[in-house]
């Protein structure tokens, strides 16, 4: 049996492109063809399939829940702590001073591996005048949410975290955990993570005081953006 991987034909790429748009609203440009091929190659190998078209057939029938696996592989986006710092500055200087009473909910709408949600939690713990608050992080990828719940990261991820937050809310790993850090329990207990597709109706999630959306909006076209905002 040949060990060379089959090539991803353009006609096959279009099928995945359409699927990811219809499922997640994400626009994969033609320049992402190589990325799609490399990310899905191991799944072809796993099932012993001869072509990407055969693999797409599995997704259509959702064999063994494979569609979610494919979505996980195609939507994992890089994120980091305090990404887009101006958002957090705005929250701290303009919004938090107005919150004197009541309970507050913040939503990180494409939380990926959790950095944005935990950044919000550190900010709230440090600057909020209200004591009742919670953060919800959601993502379309179930696999990345497992990482987010663990709140456990390689030490180089801490570079963007200001010193005052680092010493107060992050615990440095020792022994076998050396070279990593974990979010402190008082931060983790304030943050919940759940699976959500922004293209679905999310009214069941309740109301929020602030929604962080920008880092996912860049992947959508204008009609999808308008639907989501609405």
């Amino acid at each position: 049996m040949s060990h060379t991987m089959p090539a991803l034909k353009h006609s096959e790429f279009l099928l995945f492109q359409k699927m990811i748009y219809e499922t997640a609203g994400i626009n994969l440009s033609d320049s992402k063809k190589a990325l799609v091929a490399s990310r899905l190659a191991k799944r072809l190998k796993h099932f012993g399939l001869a072509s990407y078209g055969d693999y797409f057939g599995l997704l259509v029938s959702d064999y063994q829940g494979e569609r979610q696996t494919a979505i996980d592989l195609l939507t994992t986006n890089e994120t980091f702590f305090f990404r887009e710092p101006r958002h957090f500055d705005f929250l701290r200087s303009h919004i938090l001073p107005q919150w004197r009473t009541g309970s507050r909910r913040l939503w990180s709408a494409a939380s990926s591996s959790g950095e944005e949600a935990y950044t919000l939690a550190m900010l709230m713990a440090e600057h909020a005048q209200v004591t009742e608050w919670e953060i919800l992080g959601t993502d379309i990828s179930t696999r990345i949410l497992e990482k987010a719940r663990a709140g456990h990261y390689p030490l180089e991820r801490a570079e963007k975290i200001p010193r005052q937050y680092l010493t107060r809310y992050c615990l440095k790993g020792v022994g076998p955990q050396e070279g990593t850090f974990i979010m402190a329990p008082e931060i983790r207990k304030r943050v919940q993570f759940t699976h959500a597709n922004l293209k679905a109706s999310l009214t069941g999630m309740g109301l929020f005081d602030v929604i962080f959306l920008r880092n996912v909006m860049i992947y959508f076209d204008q009609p999808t953006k308008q639907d989501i905002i609405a």
Side-chain angles (χ1 to χ4, degrees):
M1 187 180 155
S2 159
H3 287 293
T4 55
M5 279 310 295
L8 172 62
K9 297 189 193 110
H10 189 66
S11 58
E12 293 169 330
F13 171 70
L14 294 175
L15 296 172
F16 292 107
Q17 195 181 36
K18 187 165 184 271
M19 179 201 80
I20 209 79
Y21 180 74
E22 286 174 357
T23 310
I26 291 172
N27 252 333
L28 284 181
S29 66
D30 290 356
S31 65
K32 294 285 196 294
K33 189 175 162 185
L35 176 126
V36 170
S38 68
R39 293 217 175 150
L40 297 180
K42 55 187 164 213
R43 302 308 293 161
L44 266 72
K45 207 165 164 185
H46 174 79
F47 290 110
L49 298 170
S51 75
Y52 284 91
D54 291 350
Y55 179 67
F56 188 79
L58 291 188
L59 302 187
V60 173
S61 65
D62 201 16
Y63 178 72
Q64 293 181 355
E66 186 61 23
R67 196 177 304 165
Q68 183 63 53
T69 304
I71 287 165
D72 284 1
L73 289 168
L74 295 176
T75 57
T76 329
N77 295 308
E78 197 52 60
T79 182
F80 46 87
F81 289 96
F82 288 89
R83 180 177 177 186
E84 308 291 349
R86 270 187 258 170
H87 292 175
F88 302 111
D89 293 343
F90 186 85
L91 182 71
R92 191 186 65 235
S93 57
H94 289 73
I95 297 173
L96 296 189
Q98 298 174 28
W99 293 352
R100 303 268 162 85
T101 56
S103 65
R104 302 291 168 172
R105 290 183 85 210
L106 295 88
W107 178 20
S108 168
S111 56
S112 190
S113 41
E115 287 88 335
E116 183 177 82
Y118 289 125
T119 299
L120 288 171
M122 287 189 280
L123 213 69
M124 290 296 288
E126 189 74 9
H127 301 286
Q129 300 174 59
V130 291
T131 52
E132 276 183 63
W133 54 268
E134 63 171 18
I135 315 282
L136 178 68
T138 62
D139 204 273
I140 196 167
S141 165
T142 48
R143 200 176 53 159
I144 206 83
L145 287 170
E146 289 304 311
K147 285 188 179 172
R149 284 189 194 104
H152 190 192
Y153 302 96
L155 210 49
E156 59 266 22
R157 288 292 180 94
E159 281 169 11
K160 296 262 196 300
I161 303 176
R163 172 82 30 210
Q164 75 202 71
Y165 298 112
L166 204 53
T167 50
R168 209 165 290 176
Y169 307 116
C170 305
L171 307 171
K172 202 168 170 181
V174 290
Q177 305 294 341
E178 203 177 336
T180 68
F181 71 97
I182 195 163
M183 302 310 299
E186 71 262 30
I187 290 295
R188 279 168 54 209
K189 72 175 188 207
R190 299 278 200 159
V191 186
Q192 298 295 315
F193 290 99
T194 188
H195 178 258
N197 183 345
L198 296 178
K199 281 199 80 176
S201 167
L202 299 174
T203 48
M205 282 171 37
L207 298 173
F208 294 91
D209 296 282
V210 172
I211 299 173
F212 272 66
L213 258 180
R214 184 189 175 279
N215 290 335
V216 68
M217 285 303 220
I218 52 179
Y219 299 102
F220 298 138
D221 63 8
Q222 206 54 39
T224 308
K225 282 178 186 173
Q226 282 163 337
D227 288 349
I228 289 170
I229 295 285

